[in-house]
Amino acid sequence: MTRPGAAPALAYVGLGSNLGDSAGTLRAALADLASLPGILSCKASPMYRSAPVDADGPDYVNAVAALDTTLLPLQLLDALQALELRHGRERPYYHAPRTLDLDLLLYGGERIESDRLTLPHPRMHERAFVLLPLHDLAPALVLGQRRVEDLIAALPDQDITRID
């Protein structure tokens, strides 16, 4: 079910990949996102290369997408997980390297805590690979009581480099 008659929601999605042609995978995933039914617009941040956090494997390529969507939060989550599978995502163990990881970070002002989805994403304020591209898209964004730029300044040093 979409949001019939309701104004579209602004959602932010984190994208990451550390297997294969990661930048190419993110570009393809962004095109796939933009073409999904219920996605009215899709704007992407620049891409960043970052070392894995709490995981092993090669460096990640990360970005964030801002979506105007008529999909409800769980519908969007289902669509994101289907895209991950189309791009070869496997889940052999927790924090395994991946061809594509899509995380629903924010959906309007919604707060959700369920077995399938927690919004806002519970660890995004700790991750430079989320906050830097999010700041590129929405520099005035406030998470909780703090501006994104203040959250970035408070992060411990994380190895991250803008690549485009």
Side-chain angles (χ1 to χ4, degrees):
M1 169 178 262
T2 59
R3 303 163 43 92
L10 176 59
Y12 290 94
V13 175
L15 298 91
S17 172
N18 73 335
L19 292 177
D21 175 10
S22 294
T25 298
L26 292 194
R27 283 190 289 276
L30 287 162
D32 290 345
L33 274 172
S35 69
L36 285 174
I39 302 300
L40 306 177
S41 71
C42 176
K43 181 178 178 186
S45 73
M47 291 186 198
Y48 289 82
R49 182 170 310 283
S50 64
V53 176
D54 299 331
D56 297 323
D59 284 354
Y60 276 85
V61 175
N62 297 98
V64 169
L67 309 175
D68 286 314
T69 183
T70 58
L71 296 173
L72 296 171
L74 287 175
Q75 291 176 314
L76 182 54
L77 178 65
D78 289 340
L80 296 176
Q81 290 176 340
L83 278 178
E84 287 177 336
L85 289 175
R86 280 185 36 208
H87 287 274
R89 171 75 187 261
E90 296 179 1
R91 298 173 189 267
Y93 56 91
Y94 189 65
H95 285 305
R98 54 206 72 170
T99 54
L100 182 62
D101 185 30
L102 300 172
D103 289 328
L104 184 52
L105 304 171
L106 298 164
Y107 182 96
E110 300 246 357
R111 295 195 171 280
I112 297 173
E113 284 194 39
S114 73
D115 291 342
R116 292 200 56 218
L117 181 61
T118 300
L119 289 175
H121 190 285
R123 290 173 304 285
M124 71 177 164
H125 66 283
E126 302 169 350
R127 311 283 203 239
F129 64 81
V130 172
L131 293 176
L132 287 169
L134 189 58
H135 183 264
D136 289 332
L137 291 172
L141 186 65
V142 174
L143 300 175
Q145 302 296 321
R146 299 184 70 189
R147 297 178 310 160
V148 171
E149 65 187 29
D150 294 334
L151 291 168
I152 293 167
L155 284 175
D157 189 30
Q158 294 180 19
D159 186 13
I160 183 166
T161 306
R162 184 172 165 165
I163 58 174
D164 80 343

